[in-house]
Amino acid sequence: MMFCSFCTKWNMKGRNGSMVWTQVGCQTVRLDKITLHENSQMHQEAVKLKKDDVMSIHNIFHSYSEQETSSLVDAQKVLFFLIKYNLLHTTLFGPLIELCAELGAPNIAKLSHGKNATYTGHSTVQEFLECQAEVVEEQVLQKMRESNSFGLMLDEYTDVSTRKHIALVGRYLENGESKLAFLKDAEIPNGTADTIVKNVKDYLRETDLDQNKMTCFASDGPAVMTGKRNGVVAQLKRDNPALIDVHCVNHRLQLSVSSAFKSVTEIESVDEMLMGLFKYYHYSTVRSKSLEQMQTLIREMENTADDTCNVTIKKAVHTRWLSHEKAVHAVRRSYPAILADLENAVGMGNDKRAGDKQSVTAEGLYKQMMSYQNFYFILLLCDVCSLLSGLTKMFERRDLDLRIVEPQMRSSLASLKKMKEKPGPYLSRVDQLGEQYKLEKVGSRRTDVSRSKTLFLDKLMENLEQRLKVTPILTSLSALDLRKAGDSSFLTFHGDAEITELAEHFGLDVEKTQLEWSQVKELFAEEVDTSSPSTILKTLTSLKPQLGDLYPNIVKLLSIRATVILSTSEVERVFSHVKLIVTEHRNRLKIDNCSKLLMVSMNAKSSADIDLRKCVAKFLARKKRRL
């Protein structure tokens, strides 16, 4: 098959609306067909648009000297620096430009012309921002339109001004390689499914993204997203039945852990104790300082004084993926210091409530900390949370692949099962440390804690197996990995059944897809050990300009697999950026401007990733400038 790069770039259509040469390749590989297309109105319009685009930028720059345009390019770099580091771009742009001029930046010094043409005012900075955001967005959207398929992930967030945001992040293909990009941050009046679906469809229509190319939709799994009748996914599937819906694997892991915590009374009481310790120390500078001094004193008494930082008590909540691991390890590391500090507070008569009847006391916390049972479960949680945090961090990776999810899950389940028979590295020291800390031990306590430990681990493993099951369609997509065949001798029938299921699901010709699959397996038969789906896709993509689209159905399936979104951690990163942008001091920042700032900061690692000359051309084209 043959494609026209000009017509594809400008998304041209034939007189009858045909997408041949753009989205659908020309199957007749003949010179007369190429000549016919070159002379067609469709191709001529694409060439004209290309020339107009180049000439418009050339003409704009031709009207100004190189020094004048260079000053604007450097000013764009200054703005990018402020955006990238979440600084007050409108407030600090002028002073930073003046600083650059004072330090001898030659181009920046030519930016201002008189008192009324300084190009450092708020309106100018806003125009600079809009131009940068437009250029970056155009680059991202062009790549998404050219991609065989793309996935969307979505989440909601409420900022410090109690405005509800909805953020969109896309996964697409560029030269056979999967990429992530921030797409939009918008304000919504409410979080209903109808509102979210309307926003998604409006965005796809406004940006000219083909909804049929959207093969994956990922969310954190609330009812508004996954409702069977009128949830967001259900409504999107009415227009695109082949859409793969994914419940974020990180959220499912956290739900599994949270449910297991609540199922065992002893674990739940330890959870409450962790929160009590956090409140006791976090909301009192006097108590925090007292604990810090106690840790320093203990290290000096044990002759272990070094550069080790004192440990602060962390907050353990089930809405933060790694909070429990940090919380239990903080308590474990500072256990003797906490005991001594609480005992000292009770003895000195400093045991006062934090301000309300529900707050904890030093005496109450001391009794809980002196319990062998609570200490036992603190160490058990250190073992369990250390294991699960490794799983969480792996799921947060931007390059998370289907191939490693199931093996890692099996490995984690095997480790949890082993903990039932043999204590982990932290729990194995419970008796030694219990005697050292002189914890209260009851005769039958060992049997009780062992029973509760087994119950907790069983419940945790059950939850993980139920919630982290891979859906059938994702299992079928895993068959595209030839490395699973193990050896070239087993390659003949590898993935045949799964390819049939995938072809039927995505509406592809089953016989042609099976034939292409057999040919692809033969093509990579001698390199089975290194033939990952991404490698196969990159190879086939690189051969397309020379050989055409030989395996369109398999390339389509490989593209779908590459754009599957397993974790919505990237959307969570968007909201982390929003917290840095929309602060208490910037709470009146418009969400539209926030979206522009995110577009630049999240999609460009450096100013070199942005065509700054194009930004300047857009700025100069808005109106006549005096430089």
Side-chain angles (χ1 to χ4, degrees):
M1 289 188 181
M2 296 183 293
F3 294 84
C4 175
S5 59
F6 276 24
C7 294
T8 300
K9 179 177 180 180
W10 298 103
N11 199 27
M12 303 302 296
K13 297 180 181 179
R15 288 183 178 179
N16 60 350
S18 172
M19 302 298 289
V20 178
W21 293 97
T22 55
Q23 295 183 13
V24 180
C26 178
Q27 297 184 0
T28 308
V29 187
R30 293 203 322 246
L31 181 61
D32 62 318
K33 289 293 182 181
I34 297 175
T35 305
L36 183 64
H37 174 68
E38 283 181 338
N39 297 325
S40 68
Q41 182 181 351
M42 169 184 175
H43 184 76
Q44 293 300 320
E45 288 179 0
V47 172
K48 184 176 182 300
L49 287 171
K50 177 66 176 176
K51 288 181 178 178
D52 290 345
D53 184 52
V54 174
M55 288 301 296
S56 62
I57 295 176
H58 175 76
N59 291 337
I60 289 170
F61 275 93
H62 187 69
S63 304
Y64 300 90
S65 68
E66 180 64 27
Q67 193 175 48
E68 290 169 340
T69 54
S70 296
S71 67
L72 288 173
V73 169
D74 286 357
Q76 292 278 357
K77 291 179 181 179
V78 171
L79 177 61
F80 178 82
F81 173 83
L82 294 172
I83 294 172
K84 192 66 179 176
Y85 291 96
N86 303 306
L87 300 173
L88 307 175
H89 61 289
T90 53
T91 305
L92 297 178
F93 182 78
L96 192 54
I97 288 290
E98 292 176 5
L99 177 62
C100 291
E102 288 179 10
L103 294 175
N107 294 328
I108 290 293
K110 303 294 183 181
L111 183 65
S112 299
H113 284 264
K115 294 182 179 180
N116 60 346
T118 60
Y119 294 103
T120 58
H122 286 199
S123 60
T124 302
V125 176
Q126 180 64 24
E127 287 187 79
F128 280 167
L129 171 61
E130 290 171 358
C131 294
Q132 280 198 26
E134 282 177 21
V135 169
V136 174
E137 186 175 23
E138 286 171 4
Q139 292 172 346
V140 170
L141 290 176
Q142 184 60 38
K143 292 171 184 176
M144 289 192 69
R145 294 187 192 108
E146 294 172 357
S147 177
N148 287 328
S149 68
F150 64 86
L152 285 184
M153 63 180 92
L154 177 150
D155 205 354
E156 306 162 63
Y157 171 76
T158 303
D159 64 21
V160 293
S161 298
T162 65
R163 297 174 299 184
K164 200 170 190 63
H165 297 238
I166 182 173
L168 284 172
V169 173
R171 184 184 286 276
Y172 61 93
L173 287 172
E174 183 182 5
N175 299 323
E177 187 176 349
S178 177
K179 298 288 183 70
L180 284 168
F182 167 80
L183 300 178
K184 185 180 182 181
D185 179 37
E187 185 176 5
I188 54 175
N190 55 65
T192 63
D194 291 341
T195 300
I196 294 172
V197 170
K198 183 179 182 302
N199 271 266
V200 172
K201 289 185 175 180
D202 287 348
Y203 176 77
L204 294 175
R205 185 180 64 257
E206 291 165 4
T207 55
D208 198 25
L209 291 173
D210 187 355
Q211 189 174 344
N212 292 322
K213 280 188 174 184
M214 185 174 73
T215 53
C216 179
F217 180 85
S219 69
D220 55 355
V224 70
M225 297 288 180
T226 58
K228 292 184 178 180
R229 293 186 179 181
N230 291 310
V232 172
V233 173
Q235 293 189 46
L236 291 175
K237 280 191 173 184
R238 290 169 193 164
D239 298 326
N240 185 2
L243 183 69
I244 302 172
D245 62 291
V246 178
H247 182 182
C248 172
V249 66
N250 280 107
H251 283 88
R252 284 187 284 158
L253 175 60
Q254 193 61 39
L255 287 171
S256 301
V257 176
S258 177
S259 178
F261 268 65
K262 295 174 182 177
S263 65
V264 180
T265 306
E266 292 83 354
I267 297 292
E268 193 170 16
S269 65
V270 169
D271 206 19
E272 292 174 358
M273 185 185 77
L274 292 173
M275 182 57 73
L277 285 168
F278 172 78
K279 289 180 178 179
Y280 181 82
Y281 286 108
H282 181 75
Y283 295 111
S284 172
T285 55
V286 174
R287 293 168 179 172
S288 298
K289 190 65 178 178
S290 175
L291 178 61
E292 185 180 332
Q293 292 173 345
M294 189 62 70
Q295 291 181 66
T296 303
L297 178 62
I298 288 176
R299 286 204 306 273
E300 291 175 352
M301 291 174 61
E302 295 175 350
N303 294 321
T304 57
D306 52 24
D307 295 331
T308 304
C309 295
N310 289 322
V311 178
T312 57
I313 306 302
K314 307 295 190 298
K315 187 177 184 179
V317 290
H318 291 286
T319 54
R320 295 180 185 173
W321 295 338
L322 298 173
S323 64
H324 269 84
E325 184 217 8
K326 295 177 180 178
V328 293
H329 279 291
V331 172
R332 175 189 60 81
R333 291 173 58 192
S334 57
Y335 211 89
I338 295 173
L339 284 175
D341 185 58
L342 293 175
E343 184 179 17
N344 185 56
V346 175
M348 296 291 291
N350 296 329
D351 187 14
K352 296 180 180 179
R353 294 183 183 274
D356 61 89
K357 294 182 179 180
Q358 301 298 323
S359 61
V360 292
T361 62
E363 184 178 3
L365 287 173
Y366 181 72
K367 288 180 179 179
Q368 293 180 64
M369 293 283 289
M370 285 299 294
S371 166
Y372 173 86
Q373 172 180 290
N374 287 339
F375 183 64
Y376 181 95
F377 288 115
I378 286 287
L379 296 183
L380 172 63
L381 290 178
C382 285
D383 288 322
V384 172
C385 291
S386 296
L387 174 68
L388 296 180
S389 69
L391 204 59
T392 299
K393 291 173 183 176
M394 184 199 72
F395 290 160
E396 288 179 2
R397 291 174 59 94
R398 288 186 170 94
D399 59 350
L400 177 63
D401 190 81
L402 275 171
R403 182 174 182 265
I404 62 176
V405 173
E406 286 194 67
Q408 288 295 330
M409 276 303 307
R410 288 196 297 270
S411 173
S412 299
L413 288 171
S415 298
L416 289 172
K417 187 175 181 180
K418 189 177 180 181
M419 286 182 192
K420 291 172 60 178
E421 304 167 358
K422 180 183 178 182
Y426 295 109
L427 188 57
S428 61
R429 299 185 61 204
V430 64
D431 289 331
Q432 174 193 344
L433 294 175
E435 291 179 6
Q436 181 180 333
Y437 302 154
K438 299 178 181 179
L439 303 181
E440 299 173 359
K441 187 184 292 188
V442 182
S444 61
R445 186 65 67 189
R446 182 179 295 277
T447 305
D448 293 340
V449 294
S450 297
R451 188 186 303 115
S452 298
K453 179 188 81 168
T454 302
L455 178 63
F456 171 66
L457 293 175
D458 284 340
K459 188 65 178 177
L460 180 57
M461 289 188 288
E462 179 187 346
N463 290 345
L464 291 173
E465 288 174 345
Q466 288 180 353
R467 290 186 178 273
L468 294 178
K469 283 182 179 178
V470 179
T471 59
I473 190 67
L474 293 181
T475 302
S476 297
L477 285 170
S478 299
L480 290 165
D481 192 344
L482 295 183
R483 294 173 296 179
K484 282 195 167 186
D487 188 84
S488 57
S489 58
F490 299 103
L491 200 59
T492 305
F493 300 103
H494 172 74
D496 289 352
E498 290 85 351
I499 290 298
T500 301
E501 292 174 3
L502 291 171
E504 291 174 349
H505 180 84
F506 293 106
L508 306 177
D509 187 299
V510 176
E511 287 75 18
K512 286 185 178 179
T513 307
Q514 281 286 9
L515 179 61
E516 290 176 19
W517 179 237
S518 299
Q519 293 173 336
V520 167
K521 287 192 290 185
E522 287 295 328
L523 185 64
F524 292 91
E526 296 182 1
E527 303 173 351
V528 173
D529 294 340
T530 58
S531 296
S532 66
S534 59
T535 302
I536 297 172
L537 182 59
K538 288 177 184 177
T539 302
L540 297 180
T541 303
S542 65
L543 294 174
K544 185 175 176 179
Q546 293 81 24
L547 303 179
D549 203 357
L550 295 177
Y551 312 106
N553 294 319
I554 294 302
V555 169
K556 175 71 174 177
L557 294 179
L558 288 168
S559 301
I560 291 170
R561 187 189 188 281
T563 52
V564 164
I565 300 168
L566 299 176
S567 171
T568 59
S569 56
E570 192 67 18
V571 180
E572 303 295 338
R573 294 187 183 102
V574 172
F575 295 140
S576 296
H577 274 75
V578 172
K579 284 184 179 179
L580 297 174
I581 295 171
V582 186
T583 61
E584 292 287 350
H585 294 291
R586 301 175 80 184
N587 59 17
R588 295 179 64 187
L589 183 71
K590 293 180 180 178
I591 293 182
D592 185 50
N593 283 338
C594 178
S595 184
K596 290 181 174 67
L597 293 169
L598 290 167
M599 178 62 69
V600 176
S601 64
M602 296 199 70
N603 291 330
K605 293 181 180 179
S606 70
S607 59
D609 296 332
I610 307 175
D611 187 347
L612 294 180
R613 290 183 67 82
K614 192 172 183 179
C615 296
V616 172
K618 283 181 174 289
F619 175 74
L620 294 174
R622 290 189 167 201
K623 63 181 181 181
K624 191 173 181 180
R625 309 285 181 177
R626 185 158 67 90
L627 291 174

